[in-house]
Amino acid sequence: MPDEAFNEVVQSLYGASTDPEMWPVFLEGLAGLFEGVGAHILHVDLENQDLTFSVLYGYDRFIGECYALPTDASPQQAFERFEEHFTRLTPTDPRMEIYRRYPGKAVACREMFDEEVYHQSAMYREINIPANVEYSLVVGMPGENGYMTGMGVFRGREGPPFSPRETETFSALIPFLKQAIELQRKFALLSFEKQMGLDTLDSLPLGIFIVNGDCKILHANSYGQTLLHEKAGLSVVGETLAVANLQAEKNFRLAVCDIVEGARNDRTVSSRALNVPLETEQAGSLIIYISPLNKKGPGPKLAMFSEPLALLFVSGPGRAREMPEELLQRLYGLTPSEARLTARLVAGMNLNEAASATGISKETSRTYLKQIFAKTDTHRQTELVAAILRSPLWVGLSENQR
């Protein structure tokens, strides 16, 4: 799939992290990227129900025909009936077992269970047949703070099934999705009255900058400051953020100015993506995603800054920056606890040392190890470590990330 189309989807994903109205735009792009007929994102937060949301793209006609009533005051009522029906049938859906068995892993569902099992389920008969959902490419990401995120793209009976290459591309979106959801949660929970609240952005392995229309830096998170210190395609001129490539610098300033002015004048502005070639011995390029902040309407409002601003997300070449544990979850469907244990084993610890380092008992570590063997199709600890070290994506991690 073209990099440009992939980056456009990521661009709208970061835009949705700060503007809820962008979720349908993201889903439309996601469906288009995979030539699907629809897409869905669901985020459930058990600690704070205000952060729970569900957005569906491509099925307005189906919902209207099957769930709307003549007395409805708005289409939202039909959608609520659909969601109630969907929730009631969820336990019958064989795709739910995939969420449980392979957390954080992209899965083309029809590769994982028999077609007859799917066709006999109540979910398929009562919802997926009238909605024309035959093939699903999904991921379920459980969080450790009482929340879960699910994302899927769908095709109808006209097919074709999702290919292994498409599953790989879908998998490459997962780290971006994790970052976007975490950004949305942090901005929603942030105490905007206190500057210290912005320190919560330091935990993200992503460069984040808040700038005004003149590109003056008002805040940079920890990883953003590291990028500046390493002169990795970015620099500071006075108090202004600049990019190293001259042509990209011009486009960068124009994009920031346009987005801030659009927010100031209540004009609809889309997030932008800017590719910045690195002019050193480093390979590849930076990708800067630019979104409006403090605009009128939905979206985060930083009370400490009264003016419209631009929010910049800076990602490394080609993909989101991942921690080893995140990569292990995505590659093998490990739970966060299993991934933490595995990362320590790959780093050279024995099982007892890894258990101590992750704060679990020896007995629990042995239970986890059996589950890890099953998910990675290995049988011994040495075989497990060797399999992970041979993985191309693991090899691609920098020494600092391991």
Side-chain angles (χ1 to χ4, degrees), residues 109-363:
C109 292
R110 294 292 286 278
E111 295 178 0
M112 307 304 295
F113 50 73
D114 185 79
E115 179 178 297
E116 185 176 353
V117 172
Y118 180 51
H119 286 175
Q120 289 180 348
S121 70
M123 177 67 80
Y124 181 79
R125 288 184 282 104
E126 295 184 32
I127 290 184
N128 291 357
I129 287 179
N132 191 22
V133 174
E134 186 69 24
Y135 303 104
S136 304
L137 182 55
V138 300
V139 62
M141 303 184 306
E144 294 190 284
N145 298 314
Y147 66 88
M148 186 282 290
T149 304
M151 180 177 74
V153 62
F154 314 107
R155 285 178 181 157
R157 288 179 289 279
E158 61 277 10
F162 291 100
S163 68
R165 183 165 184 176
E166 288 173 321
T167 302
E168 182 180 339
T169 301
F170 190 82
S171 180
L173 282 170
I174 293 173
F176 293 104
L177 176 64
K178 287 182 178 179
Q179 290 179 353
I181 291 294
E182 192 62 23
L183 279 165
Q184 177 170 282
R185 295 186 79 253
K186 286 184 181 297
F187 273 115
L189 297 172
L190 203 54
S191 173
F192 293 124
E193 298 295 336
K194 299 179 181 179
Q195 177 71 36
M196 64 192 312
L198 291 172
D199 293 343
T200 63
L201 301 177
D202 286 342
S203 62
L204 294 168
L206 173 76
I208 300 175
F209 296 88
I210 297 173
V211 302
N212 66 13
D214 296 323
C215 297
K216 178 182 177 181
I217 300 175
L218 303 178
H219 179 79
N221 75 339
S222 178
Y223 186 50
Q225 293 175 35
T226 298
L227 290 174
L228 293 174
H229 177 73
E230 294 177 351
K231 295 182 169 53
L234 300 173
S235 63
V236 180
V237 180
E239 297 180 330
T240 301
L241 183 65
V243 298
N245 182 278
L246 291 178
Q247 182 58 44
E249 167 71 7
K250 179 180 178 182
N251 294 334
F252 169 67
R253 288 185 170 277
L254 287 173
V256 169
C257 181
D258 183 57
I259 280 181
V260 172
E261 285 302 308
R264 176 176 288 116
N265 297 318
D266 197 22
R267 172 168 51 88
T268 301
V269 287
S270 299
S271 299
R272 310 285 178 83
L274 183 68
N275 193 291
V276 181
L278 296 174
E279 298 182 338
T280 65
E281 295 180 356
Q282 304 173 51
S285 60
L286 291 178
I287 301 178
I288 303 176
Y289 301 95
I290 311 170
S291 296
L293 188 62
N294 272 14
K295 71 170 192 172
K296 296 181 180 179
K301 303 291 188 296
L302 294 172
M304 67 192 73
F305 304 124
S306 60
E307 59 184 321
L309 304 168
L311 186 62
L312 315 181
F313 308 112
V314 184
S315 176
R319 62 178 176 86
R321 189 171 181 263
E322 289 180 279
M323 295 295 99
E325 293 87 350
E326 295 176 318
L327 182 58
L328 289 168
Q329 290 179 66
R330 180 161 68 91
L331 288 177
Y332 302 106
L334 304 182
T335 66
S337 297
E338 292 167 354
R340 282 195 296 270
L341 183 69
T342 304
R344 272 32 173 222
L345 295 176
V346 175
M349 294 183 180
N350 62 38
L351 187 59
N352 289 342
E353 291 170 339
S356 177
T358 55
I360 60 176
S361 68
K362 294 179 183 179
E363 183 179 348

